[in-house]
Amino acid sequence: MNAFSTVHDLKRALEQKKISAAELHAFYAERIKKYNPQLNAVLETFPEEPKNNAGLLSGIPCLIKDNICQEGKTTSAGSNMLKNYKAPYQATVVNRLVNAGAHPIGRTNMDEFAMGGSGEFSAYGATKNPWDLSRSPGGSSSGSAAAVAAGLAPFALGTETGGSVRLPAAHCNLVGMYPTYGMHSRFGVIAFTSSTDQVGVLTRTVADNALVATTLSGQDPHDATSIPMAPKNYMASLTGKLPAGFTVGIIKDVHESEGIAPEVRERFDASIKQLEQLGAKIKVIDIASLRYGIALYFIISRAETASNLYRYDGSLYGNRAKDAHNLAEMYLKTREHGFGSEVKRRILVGNYVLSAGHKDAYYNKAQLIRAQLRAEFEKAFHEVTVLASPTSPTLPFKLNSVLEDPIAMYLADYFNVPNCIIGTPAISVPAGFSPEGLPVGVQFFGPRLSEELLFNVAYAFEQATGYHTKTPAGFE
Ligand code: GLN
């Protein structure tokens, strides 16, 4: 066993009684103490001993993003607004992990209310990328990704609304999936864009990701958008062989976009060659409405933000301004002090696109194009088995670079937001490194409910390439 052992390695060591769950907890607690000061990935660790539940993840420690409720623990969503908020109940995804024997040992840093792509919009300071401390690990699940990459936990939960699991996975040499909308329960997950929010898992390997996702699967009666289906066993789908007739569709924009960094393009082209060697046929696919993805996401996510964050006015949740003289002032001051600049920007835009004079021009139109985008993706999956693109068009951001230029950060999700808008799954896997040693990710998109296919394609790619075995220097 070492700091970069996989969940599967640890499972074996526990089963063979080479180590106990309590020792494993102590091991990671010690690593967090040692390495977190340079990373700022973990906001709080918990002293409780593991519970000894028997299950698929028995005795495995994990970390949870700060917007997923852990009963009795602070759940702040990276915001000053909820700094002192203690969750009165447990999110279903956490319950399922605990019932499967996993042991949550802390909560991780994130962009405030999951709004951001670099982790720098956290009220608790930026998280650093273990591969290069002068860079961001990607966001908004910044702390979860940095922690797993640095071996501070074998796996972590993140959330994704439009790239927030896959982007940091790509920037930290990890695996991350956005599942079909409704696959993972949102009960107890602090809402941002309810029509696309999903929980996603961050791991070093595809098999680990499939294992943890297996424990999260199955309908949750507490979430009305949860898909009515029985729990899955994703492990059974990992054959390592591409299915017969497998065709990968390269999204045409990859060829045409000038915004893709040469190092990323080089890795993407190499990944496609690798798939060809595994027997894949290649096609180029034009999703005409893809270019509207960022604009659609901008409108829909802001509209839902304005509505979801309406509740933080000091009367029910979170911190209340103490210096107010009347009710209106309490609302104003609570929101003024509680929210950071990015969250405020989004609430303003959200109220604007929903206002009586602009709703038809923006929000309603966005919903129409959303339907168009869905139809185009569905058509594409009649021609190809999966679609492929780089996960991020750029290498990990230099710290402070996007704070001044949020538009650059929004554009980094060019390939990540369209499938979230239509609720279809995608998985990001390590695709190698830039010449300076920075991780690059490639992602595969499938139709609704194609998680088994995606896990298997990612697994075949991972086994043939082996990039996941590399770990960042300085965290031994
Ligand atoms: N980066 C995107 C944003 O800023 C996505 C965030 C997310 O998926 N939570 O909104």
Side-chain angles (χ1 to χ4, degrees), residues 65 67 111 113-118 121 139-141 159-167 178 192-193 196-197 297 301-302 342 346 409-410 412-413 416-417 420:
K65 189 175 176 179
N67 59 348
D111 286 292
F113 285 100
M115 299 176 196
S118 73
F121 290 119
S140 64
S141 308
T159 62
E160 169 158 339
T161 305
S164 280
V165 165
R166 285 170 289 152
L167 191 78
Y178 177 84
F192 158 22
T193 302
T196 75
D197 292 341
Y297 178 75
S301 69
R302 271 63 173 177
E342 179 64 13
R346 295 189 187 209
M409 180 187 79
Y410 303 156
D413 282 326
N416 294 335
V417 292
C420 292

Side-chain angles (χ1 to χ4, degrees), residues 70-365:
Q70 304 194 65
E71 191 178 347
K73 305 292 185 197
T74 301
T75 304
S76 81
S79 179
N80 273 326
M81 184 66 91
L82 295 174
K83 199 172 200 155
N84 305 311
Y85 175 73
K86 293 237 187 299
Y89 66 104
Q90 185 113 298
T92 296
V93 286
V94 177
N95 259 334
R96 290 196 173 167
L97 289 182
V98 171
N99 289 340
H103 183 45
I105 60 170
R107 59 188 173 95
T108 55
N109 206 354
M110 57 180 282
D111 286 292
E112 186 176 4
F113 285 100
M115 299 176 196
S118 73
E120 294 170 289
F121 290 119
S122 166
Y124 307 102
T127 301
K128 297 186 179 133
N129 190 324
W131 290 89
D132 175 350
L133 296 173
S134 72
R135 290 177 189 264
S136 147
S140 64
S141 308
S142 48
S144 292
V148 175
L152 308 189
F155 80 90
L157 291 191
T159 62
E160 169 158 339
T161 305
S164 280
V165 165
R166 285 170 289 152
L167 191 78
H171 287 173
C172 290
N173 201 42
L174 300 176
V175 179
M177 177 187 265
Y178 177 84
T180 304
Y181 180 77
M183 183 59 80
H184 293 162
S185 167
R186 290 183 297 115
F187 180 73
V189 180
I190 294 178
F192 158 22
T193 302
S194 309
S195 72
T196 75
D197 292 341
Q198 278 293 284
V199 169
V201 186
L202 287 147
T203 55
R204 267 191 297 281
T205 67
V206 175
D208 280 3
N209 215 283
L211 181 68
V212 179
T214 295
T215 69
L216 301 181
S217 66
Q219 185 179 15
D220 176 17
H222 294 302
D223 175 357
T225 58
S226 169
I227 302 171
M229 56 166 41
K232 296 276 185 182
N233 174 12
Y234 295 123
M235 296 306 294
S237 56
L238 306 182
T239 64
K241 290 208 174 61
L242 297 178
F246 181 81
T247 309
V248 54
I250 300 175
I251 295 180
K252 191 171 165 216
D253 308 45
V254 177
H255 284 316
E256 295 186 348
S257 168
E258 282 163 18
I260 297 177
E263 299 92 335
V264 171
R265 192 179 290 282
E266 191 272 326
R267 287 290 87 214
F268 180 75
D269 293 345
S271 304
I272 297 298
K273 282 214 183 75
Q274 186 70 51
L275 284 173
E276 258 183 312
Q277 277 166 19
L278 293 174
K281 288 199 273 305
I282 314 292
K283 263 190 180 173
V284 175
I285 295 287
D286 184 15
I287 311 256
S289 300
L290 201 80
R291 69 185 71 123
Y292 304 125
I294 295 278
L296 286 187
Y297 178 75
F298 197 89
I299 294 165
I300 295 166
S301 69
R302 271 63 173 177
E304 294 190 37
T305 295
S307 145
N308 273 325
L309 272 58
Y310 197 72
R311 72 191 75 173
Y312 303 107
D313 58 11
S315 58
L316 290 173
Y317 304 91
N319 291 332
R320 175 182 297 174
K322 294 194 179 58
D323 51 347
H325 301 98
N326 56 50
L327 195 61
E329 209 177 285
M330 179 189 93
Y331 294 156
L332 284 172
K333 290 198 165 165
T334 295
R335 289 167 76 81
E336 163 68 29
H337 303 323
F339 291 137
S341 57
E342 179 64 13
V343 172
K344 284 181 190 153
R345 263 197 293 275
R346 295 189 187 209
I347 292 172
L348 282 176
V349 174
N351 282 316
Y352 178 82
V353 299
L354 287 177
S355 61
H358 301 285
K359 190 164 167 276
D360 283 338
Y362 296 106
Y363 186 72
N364 290 351
K365 199 161 180 187

